[in-house]
Amino acid sequence: MPDDLTHLATPGTEIAVRVTPKASRNLVKVEADGIRVYVTVVPEGGKANAAVQKLLAKALGVAKSRLVLVRGQTSRDKVFRVE
């Protein structure tokens, strides 16, 4: 069972995540230093960002169209905002 993040699904909430691309499986994990998102895809052409957005939206229980990447398009550290 992935970590439940539904309490963060309020509009305007900014969620900072650290991304690990090319992981062995897709996973959202809450750790002591923040939220980590592991995705199996490679970070090229925005594929990893799209995968992270989809996984995070699922963990939050919101539509992926409601999650907007506000910072970190090319960084491992990203900030998404719930619209």
Side-chain angles (χ1 to χ4, degrees):
M1 173 78 193
D3 291 303
D4 183 25
L5 302 176
T6 50
H7 64 283
L8 295 173
T10 17
T13 302
E14 292 204 344
I15 302 159
V17 298
R18 180 150 190 113
V19 178
T20 303
K22 295 191 288 191
S24 57
R25 61 196 177 123
N26 291 326
L27 181 70
V28 175
K29 196 171 179 191
V30 177
E31 296 182 347
D33 59 349
I35 300 170
R36 286 186 158 257
V37 181
Y38 299 88
V39 290
T40 55
V41 293
V42 292
E44 49 186 48
K47 286 185 197 144
N49 287 347
V52 169
Q53 183 184 25
K54 187 176 171 184
L55 268 178
L56 200 52
K58 195 172 177 184
L60 289 164
V62 298
K64 70 176 193 275
S65 59
R66 285 189 53 209
L67 269 188
V68 178
L69 180 59
V70 284
R71 272 198 307 284
Q73 271 77 1
T74 57
S75 164
R76 288 175 57 126
D77 295 307
K78 301 184 185 299
V79 177
F80 285 91
R81 186 175 60 241
V82 180
E83 292 294 315

